[in-house]
Amino acid sequence: MVHIIKSDIFRLCKGAAVRNVLLAGILIIVITGINMSGSSSGFGGVGVQSTASAARSLPGNGAEFLQQMRDDGLFPFFILAFAVAVLGAEYSTGTIRNSLSYFDDRRKVYYAKCLTGLLCCLVYSCLCLIVSFIVGTLLFGLGGFSLTLVIKVFLQLLLSIPLYIGMIAIGHGLLVFTKRTSITIAAYLIGLIVFPSFTNQLFQLFPKAEWLQLCDPLSAFSVLSRFWEFPSGTVGMILLFWLFLDVLLLFAGSRLYATADIA
C-alpha cells in the first residue's frame, strides 16, 4: 500500500491537470485578495462564496482574510479537484494497468489511492492557508494572528477529514466510469454546484427535514469552517452523517473497483 501512495505522489508533477488545478486555486486566492482590497465593501474576486461567507466584509487584517478564504467555497472546490487530478494521473498516462497487474488485491489499491487523495487534500489545504496568510499580510497587514486562530485552523482541518474522505470516494468512483481526469473533474465541480440547489429545493418542500442540509458538502464545509459559531449538536450531526456516509461509499467503491473494467 505504501508503494502505491509513493507512486501516486511521484506523479504529482507529471500530469497537466494536477499542475493546472494547483495553480488555479492559488491564483484565485490572489485575485480575490486583490479585488477585495480594491473594493470599499470587501466584495469581489472569483471565489465561490459559501453560506458562511456570503455576507463577508472587508478584512481588517491578514488573519480575517485567511479565515474568509477558509470559509469560502473555493477551498472544497479546488482542494478536492486537486485530489481527483492526482488520482486520475494514472488513467491519463495509462499506467493504471501496471498498478492493477502488480497487486493481487484491487481493494488494497483502491484504499491506498483514497488515502493518497486524503493526504493531497490536507497538504493542499495547508498550501492554500499559507498563500492566504501571505496575500492577507501583504494586502491587509500583519494583524489578528494568534495561538487561538492557529488552533481553530488546525481543528478545521481535522473536522474536514470526514468530508474529504467521502468526496474523494465519490471522485474516485467517477474516475472508474469516465477513465478521464478532465471529464471527471468537470463533472465533479458541476455536481458541487448543482447538488446544493437540489437539496435546497427539497428543504423548501420539506422544511422539517433539516437533515437534508447535511447532504450538501458546501454547506457542511461552511459550518465546519466556523464550527465555534454553531451548536455542538449541529457540528456533531454533520460529522456523524459523513462518517456513516464514508463507510458506505468506501465499501461500495471498493466493491466497484474490484469488479469494474478499470483499465
Side-chain angles (χ1 to χ4, degrees):
M1 184 176 288
V2 175
H3 296 293
I4 302 173
I5 295 174
K6 287 183 177 180
S7 63
D8 285 337
I9 294 176
F10 176 76
R11 279 186 290 272
L12 281 176
C13 300
K14 301 297 182 180
V18 174
R19 181 180 62 254
N20 293 340
V21 175
L22 175 66
L23 295 176
I26 295 174
L27 183 61
I28 282 184
I29 293 175
V30 175
I31 293 175
T32 302
I34 293 174
N35 285 358
M36 288 177 68
S37 65
S39 172
S40 58
S41 63
F43 291 96
V46 290
V48 181
Q49 289 189 7
S50 60
T51 304
S53 64
R56 63 189 181 187
S57 59
L58 184 68
N61 50 50
E64 291 183 6
F65 176 77
L66 185 148
Q67 182 58 53
Q68 288 182 0
M69 291 301 97
R70 174 65 191 177
D71 295 345
D72 204 289
L74 70 89
F75 257 76
F77 263 83
F78 284 94
I79 290 170
L80 292 166
F82 177 73
V84 173
V86 172
L87 295 176
E90 273 199 311
Y91 291 88
S92 301
T93 59
T95 55
I96 185 66
R97 296 180 179 87
N98 300 333
S99 296
L100 295 180
S101 61
Y102 184 79
F103 295 95
D104 295 330
D105 190 356
R106 280 192 173 190
R107 288 184 175 87
K108 183 183 293 186
V109 177
Y110 172 79
Y111 289 124
K113 288 185 175 297
C114 286
L115 182 56
T116 300
L118 175 60
L119 292 175
C120 289
C121 283
L122 296 177
V123 171
Y124 196 23
S125 294
C126 293
L127 177 61
C128 288
L129 288 170
I130 292 172
V131 173
S132 298
F133 167 76
I134 295 173
V135 174
T137 300
L138 292 175
L139 295 176
F140 304 103
L142 182 61
F145 293 100
S146 63
L147 180 60
T148 301
L149 177 64
V150 174
I151 293 175
K152 285 181 178 179
V153 170
F154 177 73
L155 290 176
Q156 288 169 346
L157 286 176
L158 291 181
L159 292 175
S160 298
I161 288 177
L163 280 79
Y164 285 153
I165 294 174
M167 299 306 292
I168 288 168
I170 294 173
H172 204 173
L174 290 173
L175 279 170
V176 172
F177 286 107
T178 64
K179 301 180 178 63
R180 301 281 184 178
T181 306
S182 57
I183 296 176
T184 300
I185 292 178
Y188 194 75
L189 297 183
I190 292 173
L192 282 176
I193 296 173
V194 174
F195 192 70
S197 300
F198 175 72
T199 55
N200 184 61
Q201 290 298 321
L202 287 179
F203 184 65
Q204 297 299 323
L205 294 175
F206 306 100
K208 294 184 178 180
E210 295 182 358
W211 60 270
L212 287 171
Q213 294 180 317
L214 305 178
C215 304
D216 174 16
L218 291 185
S219 294
F221 271 110
S222 296
V223 173
L224 296 180
S225 67
R226 286 189 174 272
F227 62 91
W228 61 90
E229 295 182 357
F230 293 88
S232 57
T234 301
V235 176
M237 285 181 61
I238 290 176
L239 294 176
L240 286 175
F241 173 84
W242 279 91
L243 286 171
F244 177 73
L245 188 62
D246 289 346
V247 174
L248 293 180
L249 289 172
L250 291 174
F251 175 76
S254 63
R255 294 288 298 271
L256 173 67
Y257 203 81
T259 58
D261 181 15
I262 299 172

